[in-house]
Amino acid sequence: GEMRGGSRRAALLLGWVSTVGGLVKPSGSAYRPLVLPLTAADGTPGVYCDPTTPLAARVFASCPSLSAGFYYDPPTLWGSNGGAQTILAALKRKTCAVVYTRELLATPDGGTLALDMLTSVSSTHASTLSAMGEGSTVVPIEETKARELANTRPFLLLTSGLGGGSQDSYVRSMAAAASTAGWHVAVLNMRGCGGSQITSPRFFSAHRGSTDDVRVAVAHCRVSAHLARDAPCVAAVGWSNGATIINNALAEQSTTHPGSTHWLDAGGTLACPLN
C-alpha cells in the first residue's frame, strides 16, 4: 500500500483506533460511540503488533499515549497470526442479514460508484460466507422512499478491502454494529465492486484516484438530507486497501485537497498496509 504524505497522521490514527477502540464522540452529542473490545488481559487498551519491527517503532514514537505495557496479547488459538484470525472469523462470525438501498454516483471521468445506505438489520444471522448477495439485499433507491427521509444521526461511511463490497460479512458486521450503536451507515463500493458496473477505464485502485472517489461520495453525502446533510459527525472506516484510501483522504484533506464540502470529521483504519 501507499500513503502519500501524513505519515505521522496515519501513525496517530492507528494508535487512536487501537487505543480508543471506536469513533470520537463530539462534545455535546447524544449518541454512543462504537467501542471495539481490543484490550489486554488486565483491561488496558492495546495494540496487536510486533513491537520490535521498524514500523511499530515509528508508530509508537508518534503516539505518546502508547507504551510498552499497551501491547495486546491475543488468545493463542485464534489470534496467533493474521491468517488464523481471518480463517476463524470467516468460519465463526455470526453476521446479521442487512438491507441496503443503492445510489449510483457519477465521477467526473465517467466512473460509477455504488453507495449502499443501510436501511434495516435483521435479528436473524445470515451465512458468514461473503459471496455476492449472501446475507445482504440491495434495493435501488429509486424503488424506495429513502430520499424522503431526513437523517440527524452521526454518519459513518465504510470502505471495504480490495475487491470487496457491502455484501462482505465483515462489512455487514460493522454496519450492523454501528447502526445499533446509533450511527447512520452507508458503504461505498468502489468502481467495479459490490456488483456495480464498470463505466470507466480506471478500476478500484489505492494507488491513484480513489481518494477523489471518496471525496465525490462524501460531498454527495454532505448535501443529501437522507445521508449526512444534518449529521453532527461524518466519519469513515476502511479495511486493508480501503483503509489505505481513507488514510490518504484524511492526509490530503489537510494538505493538497482542503475543503468543507468533502471533509471527514473522523476516521478509522483497520488492517491497513502502512508500509
Side-chain angles (χ1 to χ4, degrees):
E2 177 195 31
M3 184 178 65
R4 290 169 282 153
S7 297
R8 181 178 176 84
R9 177 183 299 273
L12 287 170
L13 183 62
L14 175 64
W16 166 74
V17 171
S18 300
T19 57
V20 177
L23 296 175
V24 172
K25 180 178 179 181
S27 176
S29 62
Y31 69 89
R32 292 184 293 123
L34 178 60
V35 178
L36 305 178
L38 183 64
T39 57
D42 61 358
T44 58
V47 177
Y48 174 46
C49 70
D50 180 355
T52 64
T53 64
L55 175 61
R58 294 199 302 272
V59 169
F60 287 110
S62 299
C63 300
S65 62
L66 300 181
S67 70
F70 276 60
Y71 301 133
Y72 179 54
D73 184 18
T76 301
L77 292 178
W78 69 266
S80 58
N81 58 68
Q85 294 173 18
T86 300
I87 293 171
L88 288 174
L91 294 174
K92 298 298 182 180
R93 180 190 292 122
K94 292 185 180 298
T95 305
C96 294
V98 298
V99 176
Y100 302 107
T101 59
R102 171 166 292 186
E103 292 183 78
L104 299 179
L105 310 181
T107 67
D109 65 339
T112 299
L113 308 174
L115 184 68
D116 290 347
M117 181 180 73
L118 182 68
T119 56
S120 68
V121 178
S122 172
S123 59
T124 301
H125 287 152
S127 169
T128 59
L129 297 178
S130 59
M132 170 58 61
E134 191 166 354
S136 65
T137 302
V138 178
V139 181
I141 197 168
E142 293 78 13
E143 299 178 9
T144 72
K145 296 183 178 180
R147 286 196 177 100
E148 301 175 10
L149 304 176
N151 170 58
T152 58
R153 293 179 293 166
F155 180 78
L156 179 62
L157 183 69
L158 304 178
T159 61
S160 71
L162 180 63
S166 60
Q167 78 281 354
D168 289 335
S169 62
Y170 64 92
V171 178
R172 298 198 316 265
S173 179
M174 177 69 83
S179 177
T180 301
W183 293 79
H184 188 44
V185 183
V187 183
L188 176 59
N189 297 283
M190 294 297 186
R191 305 184 189 206
C193 298
S196 60
Q197 292 186 340
I198 298 174
T199 61
S200 64
R202 183 168 64 81
F203 300 158
F204 174 26
S205 169
H207 184 60
R208 290 287 185 271
S210 285
T211 50
D212 292 332
D213 291 347
V214 169
R215 284 186 282 272
V216 167
V218 173
H220 172 77
C221 293
R222 280 200 170 275
V223 298
S224 303
H226 64 289
L227 293 169
R229 188 188 69 186
D230 302 314
C233 173
V234 177
V237 168
W239 290 264
S240 191
N241 237 4
T244 301
I245 294 170
I246 295 300
N247 267 343
N248 283 339
L250 290 169
E252 290 173 357
Q253 74 177 21
S254 295
T255 53
T256 58
H257 292 76
S260 59
T261 58
H262 53 259
W263 188 263
L264 288 169
D265 300 311
T269 58
L270 308 173
C272 178
L274 293 176
N275 59 345

